[in-house]
Amino acid sequence: MRFENRTILITGASSGIGAATATLLAEEGANLILTARGDDRLQAFAHSLAETGTKVLARAGGVTDAAHMQGLVDRGESMFGKLDAAFNNAGALGNGTPVIDTPRADWDEVIDVNLTAAFIAAQTQVPALKRAGRGSLLFTGSFVGPELGIPGMGAYAAAKAGLTGLVRALAVEHGAEGLRVNALLPGGTKTPMAGDDPSFRDWAAQLHALKRLAEPEEIASVAAFLLSDEASFVTGTAMLADGGNSVCKT
Ligand SMILES: NC(=O)c1ccc[n+]([C@@H]2O[C@H](COP(=O)([O-])OP(=O)(O)OC[C@H]3O[C@@H](n4cnc5c(N)ncnc54)[C@H](OP(=O)(O)O)[C@@H]3O)[C@@H](O)[C@H]2O)c1
């Protein structure tokens, strides 16, 4: 029960890595503040957690909407008394076009969801973590960007690489205040983002030393570690959970 009496905010909570992490944190006693854009899927998931006894606040909205993100923190603090940690996990791949064919609006959207949203998250969440006296901020990056390039993912790679830099800046700006700030860089993971085309999944699996994709639960267990007191001396890191993707050349 690493998260008993802890309140944790999760974005992109209704699917994939976010949902698997919410499930694990709930099993370990956390109170949860959950968000994603689609309300029906989010509320159905929140309801399933509440049925097992977890206290959940679930509000639909986008991570690029600063008012929504501030509202989540405010509502969560008044409902649960404090915010202990946040897992800023929502992301978007983009439309797969090469950089030079990417319309400016598509570039802006991918940068907004994967990078500017992290800036908004920090601005809305850090004051609450400081009020709690300590805290852990975690952001989902990717192996794409910090570790390697994949054709058709230019904006995504730029945003995820930028996220690693933002995490380092936040870690040094708030370390003395008792806040830890980290990025988790998953390898290819079996979620809707990875699609359901078997030939694409086979191709992606071969990029990894383990020659397979991760289950979302395998990424969730690393997220839980980084959010927990077990990682009390871990800050400013970009932790790979990539199945050896970054070291594989075969
Ligand atoms: N799957 C992989 O292979 C892989 C690998 C490396 C890194 N990642 C990263 O892992 C994170 C989670 O991805 P996943 O694979 O778990 O994807 P997923 O299963 O498609 O889940 C994405 C979640 O984010 C929400 N979301 C998407 N855009 C949003 C927005 N603008 N505002 C708020 N919520 C939004 C989605 O719900 P709504 O659509 O209802 O908003 C959903 O809950 C992302 O940051 C992704 O870049 C994934």
PDB file of all heavy atoms in Angstrom, residues 157-188:
ATOM      1  N   ALA A 157       8.764  13.497 -31.913  1.00  0.00           N
ATOM      2  CA  ALA A 157      10.137  13.338 -31.419  1.00  0.00           C
ATOM      3  C   ALA A 157      10.657  14.644 -30.832  1.00  0.00           C
ATOM      4  O   ALA A 157      11.294  14.641 -29.766  1.00  0.00           O
ATOM      5  CB  ALA A 157      11.047  12.870 -32.558  1.00  0.00           C
ATOM      6  N   ALA A 158      10.380  15.757 -31.516  1.00  0.00           N
ATOM      7  CA  ALA A 158      10.846  17.056 -31.021  1.00  0.00           C
ATOM      8  C   ALA A 158      10.201  17.372 -29.671  1.00  0.00           C
ATOM      9  O   ALA A 158      10.861  17.838 -28.738  1.00  0.00           O
ATOM     10  CB  ALA A 158      10.518  18.144 -32.037  1.00  0.00           C
ATOM     11  N   ALA A 159       8.907  17.091 -29.561  1.00  0.00           N
ATOM     12  CA  ALA A 159       8.205  17.393 -28.311  1.00  0.00           C
ATOM     13  C   ALA A 159       8.697  16.499 -27.172  1.00  0.00           C
ATOM     14  O   ALA A 159       8.917  16.972 -26.049  1.00  0.00           O
ATOM     15  CB  ALA A 159       6.697  17.200 -28.514  1.00  0.00           C
ATOM     16  N   LYS A 160       8.875  15.218 -27.452  1.00  0.00           N
ATOM     17  CA  LYS A 160       9.289  14.301 -26.377  1.00  0.00           C
ATOM     18  C   LYS A 160      10.735  14.573 -25.956  1.00  0.00           C
ATOM     19  O   LYS A 160      11.079  14.438 -24.782  1.00  0.00           O
ATOM     20  CB  LYS A 160       9.113  12.847 -26.817  1.00  0.00           C
ATOM     21  CG  LYS A 160       7.643  12.418 -27.020  1.00  0.00           C
ATOM     22  CD  LYS A 160       6.827  12.442 -25.747  1.00  0.00           C
ATOM     23  CE  LYS A 160       5.483  11.721 -25.911  1.00  0.00           C
ATOM     24  NZ  LYS A 160       4.634  11.786 -24.703  1.00  0.00           N
ATOM     25  N   ALA A 161      11.597  14.951 -26.906  1.00  0.00           N
ATOM     26  CA  ALA A 161      12.964  15.328 -26.529  1.00  0.00           C
ATOM     27  C   ALA A 161      12.939  16.619 -25.714  1.00  0.00           C
ATOM     28  O   ALA A 161      13.664  16.743 -24.715  1.00  0.00           O
ATOM     29  CB  ALA A 161      13.821  15.497 -27.780  1.00  0.00           C
ATOM     30  N   GLY A 162      12.104  17.562 -26.111  1.00  0.00           N
ATOM     31  CA  GLY A 162      11.967  18.807 -25.353  1.00  0.00           C
ATOM     32  C   GLY A 162      11.456  18.558 -23.950  1.00  0.00           C
ATOM     33  O   GLY A 162      11.864  19.216 -22.983  1.00  0.00           O
ATOM     34  N   LEU A 163      10.572  17.592 -23.817  1.00  0.00           N
ATOM     35  CA  LEU A 163      10.015  17.253 -22.501  1.00  0.00           C
ATOM     36  C   LEU A 163      11.119  16.842 -21.523  1.00  0.00           C
ATOM     37  O   LEU A 163      11.094  17.212 -20.347  1.00  0.00           O
ATOM     38  CB  LEU A 163       8.989  16.123 -22.669  1.00  0.00           C
ATOM     39  CG  LEU A 163       8.317  15.616 -21.406  1.00  0.00           C
ATOM     40  CD1 LEU A 163       7.486  16.711 -20.750  1.00  0.00           C
ATOM     41  CD2 LEU A 163       7.421  14.413 -21.743  1.00  0.00           C
ATOM     42  N   THR A 164      12.102  16.088 -22.021  1.00  0.00           N
ATOM     43  CA  THR A 164      13.212  15.675 -21.166  1.00  0.00           C
ATOM     44  C   THR A 164      13.967  16.900 -20.631  1.00  0.00           C
ATOM     45  O   THR A 164      14.342  16.953 -19.458  1.00  0.00           O
ATOM     46  CB  THR A 164      14.160  14.741 -21.949  1.00  0.00           C
ATOM     47  OG1 THR A 164      13.410  13.611 -22.378  1.00  0.00           O
ATOM     48  CG2 THR A 164      15.310  14.266 -21.101  1.00  0.00           C
ATOM     49  N   GLY A 165      14.158  17.902 -21.482  1.00  0.00           N
ATOM     50  CA  GLY A 165      14.817  19.131 -21.032  1.00  0.00           C
ATOM     51  C   GLY A 165      13.982  19.873 -20.002  1.00  0.00           C
ATOM     52  O   GLY A 165      14.509  20.373 -18.996  1.00  0.00           O
ATOM     53  N   LEU A 166      12.682  19.938 -20.232  1.00  0.00           N
ATOM     54  CA  LEU A 166      11.800  20.625 -19.279  1.00  0.00           C
ATOM     55  C   LEU A 166      11.836  19.932 -17.917  1.00  0.00           C
ATOM     56  O   LEU A 166      11.864  20.592 -16.868  1.00  0.00           O
ATOM     57  CB  LEU A 166      10.365  20.637 -19.839  1.00  0.00           C
ATOM     58  CG  LEU A 166       9.300  21.271 -18.947  1.00  0.00           C
ATOM     59  CD1 LEU A 166       9.574  22.758 -18.746  1.00  0.00           C
ATOM     60  CD2 LEU A 166       7.907  21.067 -19.545  1.00  0.00           C
ATOM     61  N   VAL A 167      11.857  18.621 -17.935  1.00  0.00           N
ATOM     62  CA  VAL A 167      11.901  17.843 -16.680  1.00  0.00           C
ATOM     63  C   VAL A 167      13.172  18.175 -15.899  1.00  0.00           C
ATOM     64  O   VAL A 167      13.135  18.358 -14.674  1.00  0.00           O
ATOM     65  CB  VAL A 167      11.801  16.333 -17.002  1.00  0.00           C
ATOM     66  CG1 VAL A 167      12.317  15.481 -15.861  1.00  0.00           C
ATOM     67  CG2 VAL A 167      10.363  15.982 -17.345  1.00  0.00           C
ATOM     68  N   ARG A 168      14.279  18.274 -16.606  1.00  0.00           N
ATOM     69  CA  ARG A 168      15.545  18.598 -15.909  1.00  0.00           C
ATOM     70  C   ARG A 168      15.472  19.998 -15.293  1.00  0.00           C
ATOM     71  O   ARG A 168      15.927  20.214 -14.167  1.00  0.00           O
ATOM     72  CB  ARG A 168      16.715  18.489 -16.887  1.00  0.00           C
ATOM     73  CG  ARG A 168      16.960  17.051 -17.275  1.00  0.00           C
ATOM     74  CD  ARG A 168      18.071  16.912 -18.301  1.00  0.00           C
ATOM     75  NE  ARG A 168      18.250  15.504 -18.627  1.00  0.00           N
ATOM     76  CZ  ARG A 168      18.608  15.040 -19.808  1.00  0.00           C
ATOM     77  NH1 ARG A 168      18.842  15.863 -20.796  1.00  0.00           N
ATOM     78  NH2 ARG A 168      18.748  13.745 -20.006  1.00  0.00           N
ATOM     79  N   ALA A 169      14.907  20.959 -16.037  1.00  0.00           N
ATOM     80  CA  ALA A 169      14.787  22.321 -15.502  1.00  0.00           C
ATOM     81  C   ALA A 169      13.895  22.349 -14.267  1.00  0.00           C
ATOM     82  O   ALA A 169      14.229  22.955 -13.242  1.00  0.00           O
ATOM     83  CB  ALA A 169      14.233  23.250 -16.590  1.00  0.00           C
ATOM     84  N   LEU A 170      12.766  21.668 -14.339  1.00  0.00           N
ATOM     85  CA  LEU A 170      11.843  21.641 -13.190  1.00  0.00           C
ATOM     86  C   LEU A 170      12.492  20.965 -11.980  1.00  0.00           C
ATOM     87  O   LEU A 170      12.285  21.391 -10.840  1.00  0.00           O
ATOM     88  CB  LEU A 170      10.551  20.910 -13.570  1.00  0.00           C
ATOM     89  CG  LEU A 170       9.626  21.659 -14.538  1.00  0.00           C
ATOM     90  CD1 LEU A 170       8.555  20.712 -15.089  1.00  0.00           C
ATOM     91  CD2 LEU A 170       8.980  22.855 -13.843  1.00  0.00           C
ATOM     92  N   ALA A 171      13.269  19.908 -12.249  1.00  0.00           N
ATOM     93  CA  ALA A 171      13.911  19.192 -11.133  1.00  0.00           C
ATOM     94  C   ALA A 171      14.861  20.105 -10.379  1.00  0.00           C
ATOM     95  O   ALA A 171      14.891  20.081  -9.138  1.00  0.00           O
ATOM     96  CB  ALA A 171      14.650  17.963 -11.661  1.00  0.00           C
ATOM     97  N   VAL A 172      15.619  20.926 -11.099  1.00  0.00           N
ATOM     98  CA  VAL A 172      16.571  21.799 -10.395  1.00  0.00           C
ATOM     99  C   VAL A 172      15.881  23.032  -9.817  1.00  0.00           C
ATOM    100  O   VAL A 172      16.335  23.582  -8.818  1.00  0.00           O
ATOM    101  CB  VAL A 172      17.779  22.197 -11.277  1.00  0.00           C
ATOM    102  CG1 VAL A 172      18.596  20.966 -11.658  1.00  0.00           C
ATOM    103  CG2 VAL A 172      17.360  22.957 -12.530  1.00  0.00           C
ATOM    104  N   GLU A 173      14.780  23.462 -10.425  1.00  0.00           N
ATOM    105  CA  GLU A 173      14.078  24.630  -9.879  1.00  0.00           C
ATOM    106  C   GLU A 173      13.329  24.301  -8.590  1.00  0.00           C
ATOM    107  O   GLU A 173      13.109  25.170  -7.758  1.00  0.00           O
ATOM    108  CB  GLU A 173      13.104  25.194 -10.928  1.00  0.00           C
ATOM    109  CG  GLU A 173      13.826  25.912 -12.072  1.00  0.00           C
ATOM    110  CD  GLU A 173      12.887  26.460 -13.147  1.00  0.00           C
ATOM    111  OE1 GLU A 173      11.660  26.259 -13.054  1.00  0.00           O
ATOM    112  OE2 GLU A 173      13.404  27.076 -14.097  1.00  0.00           O
ATOM    113  N   HIS A 174      12.936  23.033  -8.409  1.00  0.00           N
ATOM    114  CA  HIS A 174      12.069  22.703  -7.265  1.00  0.00           C
ATOM    115  C   HIS A 174      12.606  21.611  -6.344  1.00  0.00           C
ATOM    116  O   HIS A 174      11.920  21.213  -5.401  1.00  0.00           O
ATOM    117  CB  HIS A 174      10.669  22.333  -7.778  1.00  0.00           C
ATOM    118  CG  HIS A 174      10.020  23.467  -8.502  1.00  0.00           C
ATOM    119  ND1 HIS A 174       9.582  24.607  -7.853  1.00  0.00           N
ATOM    120  CD2 HIS A 174       9.804  23.676  -9.817  1.00  0.00           C
ATOM    121  CE1 HIS A 174       9.110  25.464  -8.739  1.00  0.00           C
ATOM    122  NE2 HIS A 174       9.225  24.918  -9.943  1.00  0.00           N
ATOM    123  N   GLY A 175      13.836  21.153  -6.611  1.00  0.00           N
ATOM    124  CA  GLY A 175      14.399  20.113  -5.751  1.00  0.00           C
ATOM    125  C   GLY A 175      14.519  20.552  -4.302  1.00  0.00           C
ATOM    126  O   GLY A 175      14.195  19.784  -3.374  1.00  0.00           O
ATOM    127  N   ALA A 176      14.968  21.801  -4.085  1.00  0.00           N
ATOM    128  CA  ALA A 176      15.177  22.282  -2.709  1.00  0.00           C
ATOM    129  C   ALA A 176      13.854  22.414  -1.952  1.00  0.00           C
ATOM    130  O   ALA A 176      13.858  22.529  -0.721  1.00  0.00           O
ATOM    131  CB  ALA A 176      15.917  23.617  -2.739  1.00  0.00           C
ATOM    132  N   GLU A 177      12.744  22.414  -2.703  1.00  0.00           N
ATOM    133  CA  GLU A 177      11.418  22.507  -2.063  1.00  0.00           C
ATOM    134  C   GLU A 177      10.821  21.135  -1.777  1.00  0.00           C
ATOM    135  O   GLU A 177       9.662  21.034  -1.367  1.00  0.00           O
ATOM    136  CB  GLU A 177      10.477  23.307  -2.975  1.00  0.00           C
ATOM    137  CG  GLU A 177      10.950  24.730  -3.175  1.00  0.00           C
ATOM    138  CD  GLU A 177      10.364  25.401  -4.417  1.00  0.00           C
ATOM    139  OE1 GLU A 177       9.781  24.700  -5.274  1.00  0.00           O
ATOM    140  OE2 GLU A 177      10.506  26.624  -4.527  1.00  0.00           O
ATOM    141  N   GLY A 178      11.597  20.085  -2.046  1.00  0.00           N
ATOM    142  CA  GLY A 178      11.114  18.736  -1.740  1.00  0.00           C
ATOM    143  C   GLY A 178      10.342  18.090  -2.874  1.00  0.00           C
ATOM    144  O   GLY A 178       9.686  17.067  -2.670  1.00  0.00           O
ATOM    145  N   LEU A 179      10.443  18.685  -4.068  1.00  0.00           N
ATOM    146  CA  LEU A 179       9.717  18.098  -5.212  1.00  0.00           C
ATOM    147  C   LEU A 179      10.686  17.295  -6.081  1.00  0.00           C
ATOM    148  O   LEU A 179      11.781  17.759  -6.398  1.00  0.00           O
ATOM    149  CB  LEU A 179       9.100  19.203  -6.071  1.00  0.00           C
ATOM    150  CG  LEU A 179       7.683  19.657  -5.719  1.00  0.00           C
ATOM    151  CD1 LEU A 179       7.581  20.145  -4.289  1.00  0.00           C
ATOM    152  CD2 LEU A 179       7.233  20.745  -6.674  1.00  0.00           C
ATOM    153  N   ARG A 180      10.259  16.124  -6.463  1.00  0.00           N
ATOM    154  CA  ARG A 180      11.000  15.311  -7.433  1.00  0.00           C
ATOM    155  C   ARG A 180      10.287  15.400  -8.778  1.00  0.00           C
ATOM    156  O   ARG A 180       9.052  15.386  -8.820  1.00  0.00           O
ATOM    157  CB  ARG A 180      11.067  13.846  -6.995  1.00  0.00           C
ATOM    158  CG  ARG A 180      11.828  13.616  -5.712  1.00  0.00           C
ATOM    159  CD  ARG A 180      11.972  12.145  -5.412  1.00  0.00           C
ATOM    160  NE  ARG A 180      10.713  11.451  -5.240  1.00  0.00           N
ATOM    161  CZ  ARG A 180      10.166  10.635  -6.145  1.00  0.00           C
ATOM    162  NH1 ARG A 180      10.769  10.374  -7.295  1.00  0.00           N
ATOM    163  NH2 ARG A 180       9.013  10.040  -5.895  1.00  0.00           N
ATOM    164  N   VAL A 181      11.065  15.506  -9.859  1.00  0.00           N
ATOM    165  CA  VAL A 181      10.472  15.633 -11.197  1.00  0.00           C
ATOM    166  C   VAL A 181      11.209  14.686 -12.143  1.00  0.00           C
ATOM    167  O   VAL A 181      12.438  14.780 -12.278  1.00  0.00           O
ATOM    168  CB  VAL A 181      10.582  17.084 -11.726  1.00  0.00           C
ATOM    169  CG1 VAL A 181       9.815  17.220 -13.042  1.00  0.00           C
ATOM    170  CG2 VAL A 181      10.073  18.087 -10.701  1.00  0.00           C
ATOM    171  N   ASN A 182      10.479  13.791 -12.765  1.00  0.00           N
ATOM    172  CA  ASN A 182      11.094  12.773 -13.623  1.00  0.00           C
ATOM    173  C   ASN A 182      10.280  12.542 -14.893  1.00  0.00           C
ATOM    174  O   ASN A 182       9.078  12.849 -14.936  1.00  0.00           O
ATOM    175  CB  ASN A 182      11.199  11.448 -12.864  1.00  0.00           C
ATOM    176  CG  ASN A 182      12.203  11.517 -11.740  1.00  0.00           C
ATOM    177  OD1 ASN A 182      13.403  11.627 -11.958  1.00  0.00           O
ATOM    178  ND2 ASN A 182      11.720  11.484 -10.499  1.00  0.00           N
ATOM    179  N   ALA A 183      10.951  11.963 -15.880  1.00  0.00           N
ATOM    180  CA  ALA A 183      10.269  11.489 -17.092  1.00  0.00           C
ATOM    181  C   ALA A 183      10.402   9.975 -17.157  1.00  0.00           C
ATOM    182  O   ALA A 183      11.426   9.417 -16.761  1.00  0.00           O
ATOM    183  CB  ALA A 183      10.886  12.122 -18.330  1.00  0.00           C
ATOM    184  N   LEU A 184       9.370   9.346 -17.649  1.00  0.00           N
ATOM    185  CA  LEU A 184       9.376   7.902 -17.919  1.00  0.00           C
ATOM    186  C   LEU A 184       9.302   7.735 -19.433  1.00  0.00           C
ATOM    187  O   LEU A 184       8.392   8.284 -20.070  1.00  0.00           O
ATOM    188  CB  LEU A 184       8.168   7.259 -17.229  1.00  0.00           C
ATOM    189  CG  LEU A 184       7.794   5.835 -17.627  1.00  0.00           C
ATOM    190  CD1 LEU A 184       8.949   4.872 -17.403  1.00  0.00           C
ATOM    191  CD2 LEU A 184       6.574   5.381 -16.840  1.00  0.00           C
ATOM    192  N   LEU A 185      10.272   7.014 -19.996  1.00  0.00           N
ATOM    193  CA  LEU A 185      10.330   6.838 -21.451  1.00  0.00           C
ATOM    194  C   LEU A 185       9.993   5.390 -21.801  1.00  0.00           C
ATOM    195  O   LEU A 185      10.878   4.524 -21.782  1.00  0.00           O
ATOM    196  CB  LEU A 185      11.723   7.187 -21.993  1.00  0.00           C
ATOM    197  CG  LEU A 185      12.407   8.483 -21.527  1.00  0.00           C
ATOM    198  CD1 LEU A 185      13.674   8.727 -22.354  1.00  0.00           C
ATOM    199  CD2 LEU A 185      11.497   9.677 -21.606  1.00  0.00           C
ATOM    200  N   PRO A 186       8.725   5.110 -22.120  1.00  0.00           N
ATOM    201  CA  PRO A 186       8.362   3.734 -22.471  1.00  0.00           C
ATOM    202  C   PRO A 186       8.894   3.357 -23.844  1.00  0.00           C
ATOM    203  O   PRO A 186       9.052   4.205 -24.719  1.00  0.00           O
ATOM    204  CB  PRO A 186       6.829   3.764 -22.508  1.00  0.00           C
ATOM    205  CG  PRO A 186       6.411   5.067 -21.927  1.00  0.00           C
ATOM    206  CD  PRO A 186       7.564   6.001 -22.129  1.00  0.00           C
ATOM    207  N   GLY A 187       9.121   2.082 -24.032  1.00  0.00           N
ATOM    208  CA  GLY A 187       9.279   1.543 -25.373  1.00  0.00           C
ATOM    209  C   GLY A 187       7.899   1.302 -25.967  1.00  0.00           C
ATOM    210  O   GLY A 187       6.871   1.698 -25.402  1.00  0.00           O
ATOM    211  N   GLY A 188       7.869   0.642 -27.117  1.00  0.00           N
ATOM    212  CA  GLY A 188       6.590   0.345 -27.751  1.00  0.00           C
ATOM    213  C   GLY A 188       5.696  -0.464 -26.814  1.00  0.00           C
ATOM    214  O   GLY A 188       6.136  -1.452 -26.232  1.00  0.00           O
TER     215      GLY A 188
END
